[in-house]
PDB file of all heavy atoms in Angstrom:
ATOM      1  N   TYR B 113      -6.741  16.742   9.786  1.00 98.00           N
ATOM      2  CA  TYR B 113      -7.495  17.009   8.557  1.00 98.00           C
ATOM      3  C   TYR B 113      -6.576  16.900   7.414  1.00 98.00           C
ATOM      4  O   TYR B 113      -5.811  17.802   7.181  1.00 98.00           O
ATOM      5  CB  TYR B 113      -8.210  18.383   8.620  1.00 98.00           C
ATOM      6  CG  TYR B 113      -8.979  18.652   9.966  1.00 98.00           C
ATOM      7  CD1 TYR B 113      -8.444  19.353  10.995  1.00 98.00           C
ATOM      8  CD2 TYR B 113     -10.280  18.011  10.079  1.00 98.00           C
ATOM      9  CE1 TYR B 113      -9.106  19.529  12.175  1.00 98.00           C
ATOM     10  CE2 TYR B 113     -11.002  18.227  11.267  1.00 98.00           C
ATOM     11  CZ  TYR B 113     -10.453  18.978  12.308  1.00 98.00           C
ATOM     12  OH  TYR B 113     -11.121  19.090  13.433  1.00 98.00           O
ATOM     13  N   ALA B 114      -6.628  15.805   6.681  1.00 98.00           N
ATOM     14  CA  ALA B 114      -5.639  15.595   5.609  1.00 98.00           C
ATOM     15  C   ALA B 114      -6.282  15.293   4.281  1.00 98.00           C
ATOM     16  O   ALA B 114      -7.380  14.831   4.179  1.00 98.00           O
ATOM     17  CB  ALA B 114      -4.710  14.418   6.086  1.00 98.00           C
ATOM     18  N   ILE B 115      -5.442  15.509   3.237  1.00 98.00           N
ATOM     19  CA  ILE B 115      -5.922  15.143   1.881  1.00 98.00           C
ATOM     20  C   ILE B 115      -4.678  14.541   1.164  1.00 98.00           C
ATOM     21  O   ILE B 115      -3.495  14.684   1.641  1.00 98.00           O
ATOM     22  CB  ILE B 115      -6.384  16.403   1.056  1.00 98.00           C
ATOM     23  CG1 ILE B 115      -5.343  17.498   1.047  1.00 98.00           C
ATOM     24  CG2 ILE B 115      -7.714  16.919   1.595  1.00 98.00           C
ATOM     25  CD1 ILE B 115      -5.582  18.589   0.044  1.00 98.00           C
ATOM     26  N   SER B 116      -5.000  13.815   0.105  1.00 98.00           N
ATOM     27  CA  SER B 116      -3.895  13.315  -0.791  1.00 98.00           C
ATOM     28  C   SER B 116      -3.509  14.433  -1.772  1.00 98.00           C
ATOM     29  O   SER B 116      -4.268  15.184  -2.263  1.00 98.00           O
ATOM     30  CB  SER B 116      -4.245  12.044  -1.440  1.00 98.00           C
ATOM     31  OG  SER B 116      -5.510  12.229  -2.125  1.00 98.00           O
ATOM     32  N   GLY B 117      -2.266  14.390  -2.168  1.00 96.00           N
ATOM     33  CA  GLY B 117      -1.694  15.264  -3.184  1.00 96.00           C
ATOM     34  C   GLY B 117      -1.356  14.528  -4.496  1.00 96.00           C
ATOM     35  O   GLY B 117      -1.749  13.299  -4.541  1.00 96.00           O
ATOM     36  N   ASN B 118      -0.828  15.200  -5.429  1.00 95.00           N
ATOM     37  CA  ASN B 118      -0.571  14.486  -6.690  1.00 95.00           C
ATOM     38  C   ASN B 118       0.545  13.457  -6.594  1.00 95.00           C
ATOM     39  O   ASN B 118       0.561  12.523  -7.386  1.00 95.00           O
ATOM     40  CB  ASN B 118      -0.103  15.521  -7.803  1.00 95.00           C
ATOM     41  CG  ASN B 118       1.031  16.425  -7.382  1.00 95.00           C
ATOM     42  OD1 ASN B 118       0.945  17.006  -6.222  1.00 95.00           O
ATOM     43  ND2 ASN B 118       2.015  16.620  -8.113  1.00 95.00           N
ATOM     44  N   HIS B 119       1.341  13.434  -5.580  1.00 94.00           N
ATOM     45  CA  HIS B 119       2.389  12.446  -5.352  1.00 94.00           C
ATOM     46  C   HIS B 119       1.820  11.183  -4.618  1.00 94.00           C
ATOM     47  O   HIS B 119       2.376  10.148  -4.732  1.00 94.00           O
ATOM     48  CB  HIS B 119       3.477  12.926  -4.476  1.00 94.00           C
ATOM     49  CG  HIS B 119       4.575  13.708  -5.280  1.00 94.00           C
ATOM     50  ND1 HIS B 119       5.765  13.228  -5.519  1.00 94.00           N
ATOM     51  CD2 HIS B 119       4.517  14.893  -5.912  1.00 94.00           C
ATOM     52  CE1 HIS B 119       6.497  14.065  -6.259  1.00 94.00           C
ATOM     53  NE2 HIS B 119       5.695  15.104  -6.591  1.00 94.00           N
ATOM     54  N   ASP B 120       0.703  11.342  -3.915  1.00 94.00           N
ATOM     55  CA  ASP B 120       0.059  10.249  -3.230  1.00 94.00           C
ATOM     56  C   ASP B 120      -0.743   9.330  -4.168  1.00 94.00           C
ATOM     57  O   ASP B 120      -1.273   9.813  -5.174  1.00 94.00           O
ATOM     58  CB  ASP B 120      -0.786  10.696  -2.089  1.00 94.00           C
ATOM     59  CG  ASP B 120      -0.091  11.545  -1.123  1.00 94.00           C
ATOM     60  OD1 ASP B 120       0.937  11.106  -0.587  1.00 94.00           O
ATOM     61  OD2 ASP B 120      -0.505  12.741  -0.858  1.00 94.00           O
ATOM     62  N   GLY B 121      -0.820   8.065  -3.856  1.00 95.00           N
ATOM     63  CA  GLY B 121      -1.707   7.139  -4.521  1.00 95.00           C
ATOM     64  C   GLY B 121      -3.044   7.198  -3.856  1.00 95.00           C
ATOM     65  O   GLY B 121      -3.260   6.700  -2.796  1.00 95.00           O
ATOM     66  N   ALA B 122      -3.997   7.893  -4.491  1.00 96.00           N
ATOM     67  CA  ALA B 122      -5.259   8.266  -3.802  1.00 96.00           C
ATOM     68  C   ALA B 122      -6.004   7.032  -3.339  1.00 96.00           C
ATOM     69  O   ALA B 122      -6.503   6.944  -2.214  1.00 96.00           O
ATOM     70  CB  ALA B 122      -6.174   9.029  -4.846  1.00 96.00           C
ATOM     71  N   LYS B 123      -6.025   5.914  -4.145  1.00 96.00           N
ATOM     72  CA  LYS B 123      -6.805   4.720  -3.781  1.00 96.00           C
ATOM     73  C   LYS B 123      -6.075   3.973  -2.707  1.00 96.00           C
ATOM     74  O   LYS B 123      -6.723   3.400  -1.843  1.00 96.00           O
ATOM     75  CB  LYS B 123      -7.133   3.877  -5.019  1.00 96.00           C
ATOM     76  CG  LYS B 123      -8.206   4.411  -5.879  1.00 96.00           C
ATOM     77  CD  LYS B 123      -8.538   3.602  -7.050  1.00 96.00           C
ATOM     78  CE  LYS B 123      -9.659   4.259  -7.856  1.00 96.00           C
ATOM     79  NZ  LYS B 123      -9.846   3.484  -9.094  1.00 96.00           N
ATOM     80  N   ARG B 124      -4.784   3.927  -2.765  1.00 96.00           N
ATOM     81  CA  ARG B 124      -4.072   3.264  -1.697  1.00 96.00           C
ATOM     82  C   ARG B 124      -4.150   3.942  -0.379  1.00 96.00           C
ATOM     83  O   ARG B 124      -4.315   3.310   0.690  1.00 96.00           O
ATOM     84  CB  ARG B 124      -2.525   3.166  -2.088  1.00 96.00           C
ATOM     85  CG  ARG B 124      -2.276   2.176  -3.197  1.00 96.00           C
ATOM     86  CD  ARG B 124      -0.792   2.028  -3.537  1.00 96.00           C
ATOM     87  NE  ARG B 124      -0.749   1.265  -4.827  1.00 96.00           N
ATOM     88  CZ  ARG B 124      -0.854  -0.075  -4.872  1.00 96.00           C
ATOM     89  NH1 ARG B 124      -0.920  -0.745  -3.746  1.00 96.00           N
ATOM     90  NH2 ARG B 124      -0.861  -0.646  -6.013  1.00 96.00           N
ATOM     91  N   LEU B 125      -4.048   5.252  -0.403  1.00 97.00           N
ATOM     92  CA  LEU B 125      -4.120   6.017   0.866  1.00 97.00           C
ATOM     93  C   LEU B 125      -5.533   6.086   1.382  1.00 97.00           C
ATOM     94  O   LEU B 125      -5.683   6.486   2.541  1.00 97.00           O
ATOM     95  CB  LEU B 125      -3.579   7.463   0.491  1.00 97.00           C
ATOM     96  CG  LEU B 125      -3.174   8.346   1.691  1.00 97.00           C
ATOM     97  CD1 LEU B 125      -2.114   7.608   2.603  1.00 97.00           C
ATOM     98  CD2 LEU B 125      -2.580   9.633   1.188  1.00 97.00           C
ATOM     99  N   ASN B 126      -6.416   5.646   0.675  1.00 97.00           N
ATOM    100  CA  ASN B 126      -7.861   5.615   1.115  1.00 97.00           C
ATOM    101  C   ASN B 126      -8.103   4.524   2.082  1.00 97.00           C
ATOM    102  O   ASN B 126      -8.994   4.684   2.919  1.00 97.00           O
ATOM    103  CB  ASN B 126      -8.745   5.445  -0.106  1.00 97.00           C
ATOM    104  CG  ASN B 126     -10.125   5.970   0.167  1.00 97.00           C
ATOM    105  OD1 ASN B 126     -11.021   5.140   0.552  1.00 97.00           O
ATOM    106  ND2 ASN B 126     -10.397   7.226   0.017  1.00 97.00           N
ATOM    107  N   TYR B 127      -7.256   3.467   2.083  1.00 97.00           N
ATOM    108  CA  TYR B 127      -7.599   2.281   2.980  1.00 97.00           C
ATOM    109  C   TYR B 127      -7.552   2.740   4.405  1.00 97.00           C
ATOM    110  O   TYR B 127      -6.618   3.377   4.918  1.00 97.00           O
ATOM    111  CB  TYR B 127      -6.406   1.280   2.721  1.00 97.00           C
ATOM    112  CG  TYR B 127      -6.438   0.071   3.599  1.00 97.00           C
ATOM    113  CD1 TYR B 127      -7.317  -0.964   3.381  1.00 97.00           C
ATOM    114  CD2 TYR B 127      -5.627   0.049   4.709  1.00 97.00           C
ATOM    115  CE1 TYR B 127      -7.362  -1.976   4.168  1.00 97.00           C
ATOM    116  CE2 TYR B 127      -5.662  -1.057   5.545  1.00 97.00           C
ATOM    117  CZ  TYR B 127      -6.504  -2.135   5.328  1.00 97.00           C
ATOM    118  OH  TYR B 127      -6.539  -3.245   6.114  1.00 97.00           O
ATOM    119  N   GLY B 128      -8.602   2.279   5.143  1.00 97.00           N
ATOM    120  CA  GLY B 128      -8.637   2.453   6.565  1.00 97.00           C
ATOM    121  C   GLY B 128      -9.196   3.837   7.046  1.00 97.00           C
ATOM    122  O   GLY B 128      -9.441   4.054   8.232  1.00 97.00           O
ATOM    123  N   ARG B 129      -9.544   4.758   6.052  1.00 97.00           N
ATOM    124  CA  ARG B 129      -9.950   6.125   6.473  1.00 97.00           C
ATOM    125  C   ARG B 129     -11.163   6.080   7.312  1.00 97.00           C
ATOM    126  O   ARG B 129     -11.411   6.883   8.177  1.00 97.00           O
ATOM    127  CB  ARG B 129     -10.083   7.012   5.255  1.00 97.00           C
ATOM    128  CG  ARG B 129     -11.295   6.636   4.365  1.00 97.00           C
ATOM    129  CD  ARG B 129     -11.279   7.596   3.191  1.00 97.00           C
ATOM    130  NE  ARG B 129     -11.803   8.900   3.491  1.00 97.00           N
ATOM    131  CZ  ARG B 129     -13.112   9.211   3.491  1.00 97.00           C
ATOM    132  NH1 ARG B 129     -14.075   8.246   3.288  1.00 97.00           N
ATOM    133  NH2 ARG B 129     -13.562  10.438   3.693  1.00 97.00           N
ATOM    134  N   ASP B 130     -12.086   5.114   7.039  1.00 97.00           N
ATOM    135  CA  ASP B 130     -13.323   5.077   7.794  1.00 97.00           C
ATOM    136  C   ASP B 130     -13.224   4.775   9.227  1.00 97.00           C
ATOM    137  O   ASP B 130     -13.982   5.223  10.095  1.00 97.00           O
ATOM    138  CB  ASP B 130     -14.295   4.106   7.131  1.00 97.00           C
ATOM    139  CG  ASP B 130     -14.551   4.442   5.649  1.00 97.00           C
ATOM    140  OD1 ASP B 130     -15.356   5.355   5.440  1.00 97.00           O
ATOM    141  OD2 ASP B 130     -13.924   3.853   4.761  1.00 97.00           O
ATOM    142  N   TRP B 131     -12.107   4.001   9.571  1.00 98.00           N
ATOM    143  CA  TRP B 131     -11.871   3.793  10.981  1.00 98.00           C
ATOM    144  C   TRP B 131     -11.163   5.009  11.632  1.00 98.00           C
ATOM    145  O   TRP B 131     -11.322   5.250  12.817  1.00 98.00           O
ATOM    146  CB  TRP B 131     -10.980   2.533  11.112  1.00 98.00           C
ATOM    147  CG  TRP B 131     -11.707   1.329  10.879  1.00 98.00           C
ATOM    148  CD1 TRP B 131     -12.408   0.464  11.727  1.00 98.00           C
ATOM    149  CD2 TRP B 131     -12.044   0.686   9.580  1.00 98.00           C
ATOM    150  NE1 TRP B 131     -13.031  -0.535  11.146  1.00 98.00           N
ATOM    151  CE2 TRP B 131     -12.826  -0.464   9.825  1.00 98.00           C
ATOM    152  CE3 TRP B 131     -11.616   0.950   8.236  1.00 98.00           C
ATOM    153  CZ2 TRP B 131     -13.189  -1.305   8.775  1.00 98.00           C
ATOM    154  CZ3 TRP B 131     -12.026   0.171   7.244  1.00 98.00           C
ATOM    155  CH2 TRP B 131     -12.827  -0.968   7.482  1.00 98.00           C
ATOM    156  N   MET B 132     -10.384   5.734  10.841  1.00 98.00           N
ATOM    157  CA  MET B 132      -9.637   6.887  11.435  1.00 98.00           C
ATOM    158  C   MET B 132     -10.611   7.981  11.874  1.00 98.00           C
ATOM    159  O   MET B 132     -10.310   8.638  12.875  1.00 98.00           O
ATOM    160  CB  MET B 132      -8.648   7.426  10.365  1.00 98.00           C
ATOM    161  CG  MET B 132      -7.498   6.421  10.188  1.00 98.00           C
ATOM    162  SD  MET B 132      -6.659   6.595   8.591  1.00 98.00           S
ATOM    163  CE  MET B 132      -5.384   5.331   8.802  1.00 98.00           C
ATOM    164  N   GLU B 133     -11.696   8.021  11.159  1.00 96.00           N
ATOM    165  CA  GLU B 133     -12.727   9.061  11.579  1.00 96.00           C
ATOM    166  C   GLU B 133     -13.287   8.880  12.997  1.00 96.00           C
ATOM    167  O   GLU B 133     -13.701   9.784  13.670  1.00 96.00           O
ATOM    168  CB  GLU B 133     -13.956   9.039  10.647  1.00 96.00           C
ATOM    169  CG  GLU B 133     -13.640   9.721   9.323  1.00 96.00           C
ATOM    170  CD  GLU B 133     -14.907  10.045   8.527  1.00 96.00           C
ATOM    171  OE1 GLU B 133     -16.016  10.052   9.250  1.00 96.00           O
ATOM    172  OE2 GLU B 133     -14.766  10.223   7.358  1.00 96.00           O
ATOM    173  N   PHE B 134     -13.204   7.631  13.522  1.00 96.00           N
ATOM    174  CA  PHE B 134     -13.711   7.369  14.875  1.00 96.00           C
ATOM    175  C   PHE B 134     -12.885   8.216  15.903  1.00 96.00           C
ATOM    176  O   PHE B 134     -13.306   8.415  16.972  1.00 96.00           O
ATOM    177  CB  PHE B 134     -13.471   5.897  15.225  1.00 96.00           C
ATOM    178  CG  PHE B 134     -14.464   4.941  14.530  1.00 96.00           C
ATOM    179  CD1 PHE B 134     -14.027   3.927  13.763  1.00 96.00           C
ATOM    180  CD2 PHE B 134     -15.821   5.158  14.626  1.00 96.00           C
ATOM    181  CE1 PHE B 134     -14.906   3.113  13.100  1.00 96.00           C
ATOM    182  CE2 PHE B 134     -16.770   4.343  14.006  1.00 96.00           C
ATOM    183  CZ  PHE B 134     -16.294   3.290  13.143  1.00 96.00           C
TER     184      PHE B 134
END
Side-chain angles (χ1 to χ4, degrees):
Chain B
Y113 308 100
I115 55 169
S116 51
N118 53 312
H119 276 249
D120 299 305
K123 284 181 180 172
R124 288 182 190 279
L125 197 51
N126 201 265
Y127 176 80
R129 71 184 280 278
D130 301 280
W131 286 268
M132 289 158 177
E133 280 196 22
F134 289 123

